[in-house]
Amino acid sequence: MYSVKHAAAMTGIPPDTLRMWERRYGVVAPVRTEGGYRLYDDAAISRLSAMRALVEAGWPPRLAAEQVRSGTTAGPLASPPTGDEVPVAVDDPAGDVAVLVAMATDFDAHALETVLAEMFERDDFEHVVDTWLMPALISLGSAWHRGKVTVAGEHFVSAAVQRRLAAAYDAAPTNPDGPRVVVGLARGSRHELGVLAFAVALRRAGLAVLYVGSDLPAETWVVTATDQRPAAVVVGVPSSDDVPAVRDTVAALIAARPDLKVFVGGGHQSRVGGAALPLGHRLGEAAEEVARVLGVVGQAATA
């Protein structure tokens, strides 16, 4: 039996990551001493090593844990599964996608703000988000899952990105006479960078956007849709854990307002089903589609 410190040394997995994989994914179930300390046996060490190998091979941690728990990781590693959870490979010869990971370890606020300013000056907002920001955030999240970045480092970078997106939202041209769209996240969902970026794109596409942020219960969505009478709502589905709450929200909205168009976006949008209208995974194209469906033609911003 091995302590957390010993297991970390044997597997190359930081102790905090060991505990997180246990709590979040149930990949191991260490026994406890009378004092409450974790002890890992040889089987647990093997499962942790297999989990690490899969994650380093490009598997999302949740799917890697499912593979390990199924006992099918013996032999050569299979290729990562395809689907919504797997990041698209990015041609990144300049290392731009990895830059946020470096920022999360340096904690240099000035350097981080400079990088964000330079990247967003390279091209249109939508193109930068699609080709750089989202892949870079995926890289940052992967580094955190592997224990290469601390929680504080990930939060440090995410907070700076959120400030940048909020500034872009405030700076985007407004069209108060355009169709109103309410944008936000369902109950329990707090990963709002993607949905905030989409709110910016919708504003730039000529829509009157009401951004309501994260963690809204279904009943709050219904009240907002009833009182504000939007032409559409957009609910983000950034993680698999968000799917049940989004399904409840969509069902409640359609029951209250059958005429309402309910769009869903994010990595797990295809799993919502029902009356939800998936937006796809390209920010600019999705914003243009919402504008087209709501009758806004030729009003996209160029600023």
Side-chain angles (χ1 to χ4, degrees), residues 70-134:
S70 72
T72 58
T73 57
L77 293 178
S79 299
T82 57
D84 289 336
E85 292 188 82
V86 181
V88 176
V90 176
D91 183 15
D92 186 33
D96 289 339
V97 168
V99 69
L100 294 187
V101 176
M103 295 292 102
T105 59
D106 291 344
F107 286 92
D108 187 331
H110 177 71
L112 176 56
E113 294 292 346
T114 300
V115 164
L116 291 174
E118 291 176 350
M119 295 305 297
F120 276 99
E121 288 173 357
R122 287 188 176 186
D123 211 323
D124 289 340
F125 175 84
E126 293 81 5
H127 186 263
V128 172
V129 172
D130 279 337
T131 63
W132 175 71
L133 181 61
M134 288 302 137

Side-chain angles (χ1 to χ4, degrees), residues 36-200:
Y37 295 101
R38 292 172 172 82
L39 291 176
Y40 300 83
D41 59 16
D42 288 327
I45 297 297
S46 296
R47 287 195 296 275
L48 289 167
S49 297
M51 173 90 169
R52 179 190 177 192
L54 288 170
V55 169
E56 290 184 345
W59 288 59
R62 187 183 69 81
L63 297 184
E66 291 177 0
Q67 188 80 352
V68 170
R69 291 197 305 268
S70 72
T72 58
T73 57
L77 293 178
S79 299
T82 57
D84 289 336
E85 292 188 82
V86 181
V88 176
V90 176
D91 183 15
D92 186 33
D96 289 339
V97 168
V99 69
L100 294 187
V101 176
M103 295 292 102
T105 59
D106 291 344
F107 286 92
D108 187 331
H110 177 71
L112 176 56
E113 294 292 346
T114 300
V115 164
L116 291 174
E118 291 176 350
M119 295 305 297
F120 276 99
E121 288 173 357
R122 287 188 176 186
D123 211 323
D124 289 340
F125 175 84
E126 293 81 5
H127 186 263
V128 172
V129 172
D130 279 337
T131 63
W132 175 71
L133 181 61
M134 288 302 137
L137 290 173
I138 289 170
S139 179
L140 177 64
S142 178
W144 174 77
H145 278 296
R146 299 196 310 270
K148 305 297 184 182
V149 168
T150 66
V151 173
E154 191 274 338
H155 285 189
F156 166 72
V157 171
S158 295
V161 172
Q162 184 161 6
R163 292 193 300 271
R164 174 66 55 171
L165 293 175
Y169 179 83
D170 290 337
T174 59
N175 181 14
D177 297 326
R180 174 169 283 190
V181 181
V182 180
V183 183
L185 296 172
R187 179 192 67 247
S189 183
R190 295 180 174 85
H191 296 89
E192 61 179 305
L193 297 182
V195 75
L196 177 54
F198 191 60
V200 177

